[in-house]
Amino acid sequence: MSAKLKTKSQDSNSRTVGNQLQAIPIMTVISLILFGGIGWRLAYLQLQQGDLNQAKAEQNRTRIVPKPPVRGSILDRNGKVLATNRLSHSAYLWPKAQKQRNWSTNRQIISQILAIKPEDLQKRVEDAGYNYPSLIPIARNLTSAQITALEEYRTQLKWVEIDVGKVRSYPEGKLAAHIIGYTGELNREELQERKSKGYRLGDVMGRMGVESAYESQLRGTWGGLKLGVNGAGRILQLLGENPAGVGEDITLTIDAEVQRAAEKALGTTKGAIVALDPKNGAVLAMASYPSFDPNIFSAPITNDIWQELQAQGNPFLNMSLRAFPPASTFKIVTATAGLESGKYPPNTVLGTYPYISVGGTRFREWNKRGFGPMGYVSSLAWSSNTFYGQIGRGVGGEKLIEWARKFGFGQKTGIELQGETKGLIADDGWKRLNFNNWGWTTGDTVNMSIGQGFTAATPLQVAVMFSAIANNGYRVQPHLLQTDNESKQAQRVSLNLKPTTLSTIKQGLRAVVDGGTGARLNSPHTPPGAGKSGTAEAPPGDSHTWFGAYAPFDKPEVVVVAFAEHSGGGGGSVAAPLVRQVMEAYFKPRKI
């Protein structure tokens, strides 16, 4: 009995051992598969995904704090700072904040403190993306109250950083605003266009004036700090620094004191004053009203500020570059056409009348009586419409148009500023295109000869015309960069005027000031000058007024042109005193 039991027990043990021996290969295979999978995963993570995982680990223990470019300064010709940078506190946000469970609540807190709409904040974060490698700017020019509020929420808002940076500053406020311009943050489309040039989210660029024209020189380059942080995101150490690059400083041809005088003279009169160096076209002043303070763009613009700006009209429109009927200042062109044609030499004398009749239209003398017989000098001094109407009619429309274009009318001057208009010097083709195929008439020529009709010119173009007489017959290109002076003088375009043409016109312009319509230019504080008035009909409003002048008469240093829109009155009574004030500032002895 026991022998049988023993045999059964041995058989059972044998089967168990057999089963165990059979299980070993299976377990081995399973183990190999498991360890093989782990090995393959480790190899995959280390070899194929190694760089990516290392970068993620690096992100968890380091942070990159960007340092925006430092824009170069803008200076006037004497070194006065017109645009620079000032220290300011800015708020930045880590993009990972949007993935935190309390993001919705924190976003609301941030929005309230920084006066940013929650949807705008959300859009900014989404534009950057969750994996954006560095901080994104969300507010500049923080107030003390905003900084304090963010610090009070420091524990909750651990993804928000406050840093000291630089924002654009214009120490002289409104002075030369239309020349200098302002800066503004790039929108999404602009950022996409400029990424290849090194622009980043939250970057700023020049929006107007010199800030825009010389963006590449002024801009500078991005830098940054590499910081070591702990698991809670707190800064432990500075790991490295790449200083932000400083842009170039730009020196302008502008004289800040002459500019200030021009703006003061213009006051609240809608219009413009331009001052040029007639030798090379350097812009000494360019005032325009209404105007604005570019400092407002260094912080978010409130609706109240925007409404206040709009109440003035369009303060961003540079009136120096807008076109208006040049009126009797254009008689310089008409006189040139007459003298150069040979039909009306310097000794020409014509009768002047209450009006001249052309095609049934009466072109009236401004004094309604006529002045009797006149030559070039006296007709310029008293701005006779009928004298120059006869000259224009005699030389013909084509010659008048030709000389207008030689002086630079009907084309951009080439100044660096955006928004310059060409003005208008119409011809037969233009009229047919715009007036149902009606061709050019003699009446159109007579109208043009006195600066009316279709003719339109900018104050800057008129200043170029006066410069051509002052510098003995060269059309200059206006410019704002000081280093361009010599090259621009070399690029002057000769009008090939006869010496007798220049001499006759100069005598006439001197007579304007020495007892003619421009007598109010005379000042004991300036040398003798020469000039020309203009009064343009501008229905249904009051007339526009002009005055252009240069001084000293014998060796001109400066040309000044003043334009007042719908001012009423005459050019000699309204615009000439504005020019005189600028002349007085220019010739005022400099304090050293």
Side-chain angles (χ1 to χ4, degrees), residues 406-530:
K406 284 183 178 181
F407 272 98
F409 292 111
Q411 57 193 291
K412 294 183 179 181
T413 66
I415 195 168
E416 302 96 317
L417 304 179
Q418 297 174 347
E420 182 182 17
T421 56
K422 296 191 299 183
L424 178 62
I425 295 297
D427 55 20
D428 183 73
W430 178 91
K431 191 180 178 188
R432 289 184 183 279
L433 183 64
N434 290 276
F435 286 85
N436 197 26
N437 210 33
W438 285 11
W440 191 264
T441 68
T442 303
D444 295 327
T445 299
V446 173
N447 235 352
M448 174 181 278
S449 69
I450 58 174
Q452 294 278 179
F454 306 122
T455 307
T458 69
L460 186 59
Q461 288 173 331
V462 174
V464 170
M465 176 188 68
F466 275 97
S467 294
I469 301 301
N471 66 26
N472 293 319
Y474 293 89
R475 189 179 76 232
V476 295
Q477 181 178 333
H479 62 280
L480 292 162
L481 195 64
Q482 175 78 337
T483 54
D484 279 351
N485 285 344
E486 292 183 5
S487 63
K488 294 301 180 186
Q489 186 165 352
Q491 295 172 14
R492 301 185 309 176
V493 177
S494 175
L495 302 184
N496 296 314
L497 298 177
K498 299 173 185 176
T500 54
T501 296
L502 284 166
S503 174
T504 302
I505 294 175
K506 285 182 177 183
Q507 290 178 53
L509 298 182
R510 176 66 190 134
V512 169
V513 178
D514 189 20
T517 61
R520 294 187 67 176
L521 182 70
N522 290 307
S523 168
H525 305 294
T526 62

Side-chain angles (χ1 to χ4, degrees), residues 26 40 53 56 96 159-160 193 203 259 280 289-290 360 369 372 443 574 579:
I26 296 173
W40 177 86
N53 290 324
K56 288 182 177 179
K96 290 184 179 181
W159 297 97
V160 176
E193 293 173 1
D203 216 339
Q259 177 72 26
N280 53 36
Y289 183 85
R369 300 183 306 275
V574 175
V579 174

Side-chain angles (χ1 to χ4, degrees), residues 261 521-526 577 579-590:
L521 182 70
N522 290 307
S523 168
H525 305 294
T526 62
V579 174
R580 184 186 67 235
Q581 291 179 60
V582 179
M583 289 281 193
E584 289 174 342
Y586 177 84
F587 288 106
K588 182 180 180 180
R590 296 286 189 266

Side-chain angles (χ1 to χ4, degrees), residues 24 74 92 111 122 150 267 336 395 428 431 466 548:
I24 289 174
I74 301 174
Y92 297 84
S111 299
Q122 182 65 33
L150 289 173
T336 302
V395 300
D428 183 73
K431 191 180 178 188
F466 275 97

Side-chain angles (χ1 to χ4, degrees), residues 330 334-335 337-338 341 343-344 350-353 355-363 376 385-401 440-450:
F330 192 83
T334 308
S341 72
K343 292 182 179 180
Y344 300 96
L350 299 175
T352 61
Y353 313 97
Y355 62 86
I356 58 174
S357 183
V358 178
T361 300
R362 292 180 174 181
F363 294 87
Y376 280 107
N385 289 336
T386 56
F387 181 95
Y388 288 97
Q390 293 176 78
I391 296 289
R393 182 175 60 185
V395 300
E398 288 187 4
K399 275 295 176 187
L400 200 58
I401 291 166
W440 191 264
T441 68
T442 303
D444 295 327
T445 299
V446 173
N447 235 352
M448 174 181 278
S449 69
I450 58 174

Side-chain angles (χ1 to χ4, degrees), residues 158-363:
K158 66 178 183 179
W159 297 97
V160 176
E161 304 281 356
I162 299 174
D163 192 24
V164 176
K166 292 186 176 182
V167 298
R168 207 56 166 160
S169 174
Y170 303 91
E172 300 295 330
K174 290 184 177 182
L175 187 71
H178 292 93
I179 298 171
I180 300 169
Y182 62 93
T183 60
E185 189 174 326
L186 277 71
N187 59 36
R188 182 186 297 184
E189 292 73 22
E190 291 168 334
L191 179 60
Q192 290 301 318
E193 293 173 1
R194 291 175 174 264
K195 271 187 175 179
S196 61
K197 297 180 180 179
Y199 287 79
R200 302 183 186 182
L201 188 68
D203 216 339
V204 299
M205 62 180 286
R207 290 291 185 190
M208 180 181 170
V210 169
E211 291 278 28
S212 174
Y214 292 103
E215 167 71 11
S216 59
Q217 291 95 319
L218 289 166
R219 172 173 159 66
T221 56
W222 279 86
L225 301 177
K226 187 174 183 180
L227 305 175
V229 297
N230 61 18
R234 310 307 296 176
I235 297 172
L236 299 177
Q237 59 180 326
L238 174 64
L239 300 176
E241 180 178 5
N242 180 22
V246 180
E248 297 177 29
D249 291 343
I250 297 292
T251 299
L252 303 182
T253 57
I254 295 298
D255 185 315
E257 296 311 311
V258 177
Q259 177 72 26
R260 197 183 311 280
E263 293 185 14
K264 183 179 179 181
L266 199 57
T268 58
T269 300
K270 188 175 183 181
I273 296 177
V274 175
L276 295 182
D277 181 335
K279 298 184 296 296
N280 53 36
V283 180
L284 304 174
M286 182 182 284
S288 178
Y289 183 85
S291 189
F292 64 97
D293 185 345
N295 285 301
I296 63 176
F297 293 98
S298 295
I301 297 179
T302 65
N303 186 60
D304 289 343
I305 292 176
W306 185 251
Q307 292 301 323
E308 183 180 341
L309 284 170
Q310 296 304 305
Q312 302 178 40
N314 186 349
F316 306 107
L317 189 66
N318 189 343
M319 298 286 284
S320 303
L321 308 180
R322 309 305 294 176
F324 305 90
S328 293
T329 62
F330 192 83
K331 289 171 183 173
I332 292 173
V333 176
T334 308
T336 302
L339 289 160
E340 290 291 316
S341 72
K343 292 182 179 180
Y344 300 96
N347 61 354
T348 295
V349 175
L350 299 175
T352 61
Y353 313 97
Y355 62 86
I356 58 174
S357 183
V358 178
T361 300
R362 292 180 174 181
F363 294 87

